[in-house]
Amino acid sequence: MNYSNERNLGESSSEMIEILLFSLGGQETFGLNVFKIREVTEISQVTQIPGQQGAMNGVISLRGQVLPVVSLGDAIGMSNGAPNTKMIISEFASRSVAFAVTDVDKIIRVPWSDVKPPQRYDSEQDSVFGVVMLADGSLVSLVDIESVCQRVLPEKDAEDIATGFELNQAGPVFFVDDSIVARRKISEVLDTMGLQHSHAVNGVEAEQKLLAMASSAELSEVAIQERVSLVLVDEEMPIMDGCTLTRKLKGDPRFKNIPIIMYSSLTSEENARRGIEAGVNIYVKKFDSTSLSNAIGQLLTHA
């Protein structure tokens, strides 16, 4: 399969996800969000580098760019020794990585509501954020490549967390993300900024918790900002994606003045535009502590 994602797939509704199906040598089928894929190529010459270990296979030079090569089967514990014949060149959160896989199949398009969370959903070692059942009854496991890269290719977080804002009067912050790695990093930012917080692991749970907060505020006859002053939403989530959740919240008059930040590893202008159109106040890159803390401080200072 020769695939290049030079076109922008913005024609797709934000309630839909396009998934590239691939295999890692066994009977299982895996998938990656097409928005995170630049191209699919045949496996090429990999150069070994000093100190590489585990799933890190080395580096390749592709059109003048040096990319790390990660054996995805080894990275998620699903390698059965079958040779890798294809490389999925992925771009997300300003990173480019070549994932070596056994083979690729085709692209499918399904509603986000069809993406269900996996049974294990609370381990930092989990590499699957969602599961989709196909028409023939087979299952596709959607790989959380951000979590994979945090383990295999960890980056030092040299970003500074902005703390120079007057946030003493700010109410609790609520965030939602299906990745335990992302939730930990968001918590670090909020803790450093001195903000109370709570969270959910998918859009449906987030909606339920936020509506309960709004009802509680009404019953107590207090401003909703005393229950939640700011909402952070991930863009990609099983069951309900971030754009859908944002539209639902913005459609509720009680959340009219509650600012929303969307953070995502999908950093194209098209993705940012969809988030802004859905109603988010600021769209920031995932795992960028500086941008996230500045956005939080800006919105809560002006609230």
Side-chain angles (χ1 to χ4, degrees):
M1 176 181 180
N2 231 348
Y3 169 75
S4 176
N5 194 12
E6 293 179 357
R7 68 189 182 95
N8 196 314
L9 299 174
E11 296 176 356
S12 303
S13 164
S14 63
E15 284 97 2
M16 305 293 289
I17 176 175
E18 289 188 298
I19 302 167
L20 175 68
L21 304 183
F22 63 92
S23 67
L24 297 173
Q27 298 299 314
E28 300 86 352
T29 301
F30 297 89
L32 285 178
N33 189 338
V34 165
F35 267 117
K36 296 180 180 178
I37 299 171
R38 188 175 81 195
E39 61 183 299
V40 175
T41 70
E42 300 294 323
I43 199 81
S44 61
Q45 181 64 43
V46 178
T47 301
Q48 306 295 302
I49 59 174
Q52 71 180 51
Q53 56 184 336
M56 174 63 175
N57 282 3
V59 297
I60 60 166
S61 176
L62 185 65
R63 300 182 185 87
Q65 184 180 16
V66 177
L67 304 177
V69 179
V70 173
S71 170
L72 199 48
D74 291 333
I76 67 174
M78 295 297 293
S79 176
N80 67 354
N84 291 321
T85 66
K86 298 289 192 297
M87 288 192 303
I88 300 174
I89 311 302
S90 184
E91 291 184 335
F92 57 94
S94 301
R95 301 185 76 178
S96 296
V97 179
F99 290 103
V101 301
T102 303
D103 204 1
V104 296
D105 184 8
K106 61 184 177 182
I107 293 173
I108 62 171
R109 188 169 183 261
V110 300
W112 271 109
S113 57
D114 285 356
V115 179
K116 307 302 181 185
Q119 287 186 343
R120 287 187 64 213
Y121 202 55
D122 58 355
S123 169
E124 195 164 329
Q125 298 303 312
D126 285 347
S127 303
V128 171
F129 76 87
V131 178
V132 176
M133 180 177 289
L134 303 182
D136 62 2
S138 60
L139 297 177
V140 175
S141 297
L142 304 183
V143 178
D144 182 354
I145 53 175
E146 290 93 339
S147 293
V148 170
C149 282
Q150 286 293 318
R151 293 198 311 274
V152 180
L153 304 169
E155 286 185 317
K156 261 193 172 179
D157 189 3
E159 309 287 349
D160 293 325
I161 297 175
T163 56
F165 298 97
E166 295 293 335
L167 303 177
N168 295 334
Q169 304 301 317
V173 172
F174 184 88
F175 65 90
V176 51
D177 200 299
D178 59 288
S179 165
I180 191 171
V181 174
R183 293 198 300 271
R184 188 187 70 238
K185 286 187 170 290
I186 294 165
S187 295
E188 289 173 357
V189 170
L190 297 174
D191 288 340
T192 302
M193 298 182 76
L195 293 166
Q196 295 183 334
H197 54 84
S198 57
H199 71 269
V201 300
N202 62 60
V204 171
E205 181 186 358
E207 182 185 23
Q208 293 170 347
K209 288 186 174 182
L210 288 166
L211 293 180
M213 291 178 190
S215 297
S216 172
E218 286 181 325
L219 288 173
S220 301
E221 297 183 342
V222 299
I224 189 174
Q225 284 83 355
E226 293 190 21
R227 299 289 190 267
V228 56
S229 62
L230 173 70
V231 176
L232 310 177
V233 298
D234 184 16
E235 184 171 5
E236 296 180 289
M237 295 182 290
I239 309 178
M240 183 191 296
D241 67 291
C243 286
T244 301
L245 174 61
T246 298
R247 282 193 292 269
K248 284 176 171 283
L249 293 177
K250 290 300 183 179
D252 187 326
R254 296 174 296 182
F255 290 92
K256 178 182 178 182
N257 296 318
I258 302 299
I260 298 178
I261 295 174
M262 177 171 283
Y263 50 94
S264 176
S265 57
L266 304 175
T267 54
S268 72
E269 291 184 5
E270 175 62 25
N271 287 98
R273 181 189 64 78
R274 286 212 314 271
I276 298 300
E277 287 181 352
V280 304
N281 296 78
I282 300 179
Y283 188 100
V284 301
K285 183 179 72 175
K286 208 167 189 178
F287 302 121
D288 184 338
S289 299
T290 299
S291 295
L292 180 58
S293 56
N294 275 318
I296 292 169
Q298 175 186 332
L299 291 174
L300 290 184
T301 301
H302 296 160

